[in-house]
Amino acid sequence: MSLENIRLATPSKDRLSRLKRTTGITHWNVLCRWALALSLADASTPLVREVVTDSNVEMSWKTFAGPHGDLYLALLKQRCVADGLEPTDENVSNTLTIHLARGIGYLGAHRKMTAIEGLIGAVATV
């Protein structure tokens, strides 16, 4: 996966589909931004290091990041450095992939996060 095109894994797509129904948030990119922020806020390294991005949900970096692309890119590069990785394009892309997968898992893991109020509450505690 490159930063130009972001593709989700099928389990991530399935989880986001459920969240779209329960939260009323209709755009994949909005939920993905929440997921990335939640995962990056967790200082631990994601256990899963390889994610198969096999779903049909794909978006451009511009769609994913919107007007805050520089901010998201800086956060990803900072995370690479914090994890002992050079912030190369490949490492940044891989960091995005694994943190998206972990963050999407966080979004659907708790019942309270299946509603907008729960999502806001989760971010407020980060």
Side-chain angles (χ1 to χ4, degrees), residues 43-46 49 77-85 95 98-99:
S44 68
T45 303
R49 303 300 299 167
K77 287 182 176 181
Q78 188 278 334
R79 185 57 186 244
C80 284
V81 171
D83 289 345
L85 301 170
T95 297
I98 61 174
H99 279 277

Side-chain angles (χ1 to χ4, degrees), residues 11-61:
S12 294
K13 174 196 167 194
D14 294 343
R15 184 163 280 187
L16 287 182
S17 293
R18 284 191 299 276
L19 285 169
K20 285 173 69 175
R21 285 192 303 271
T22 59
T23 63
I25 297 173
T26 59
H27 298 286
W28 300 103
N29 61 329
V30 172
L31 288 169
C32 285
R33 290 177 196 165
W34 282 75
L36 180 63
L38 281 173
S39 182
L40 289 176
D42 184 342
S44 68
T45 303
L47 296 176
V48 175
R49 303 300 299 167
E50 297 278 334
V51 176
V52 178
T53 54
D54 57 349
S55 80
N56 61 354
V57 176
E58 186 175 40
M59 66 190 88
S60 69
W61 172 257

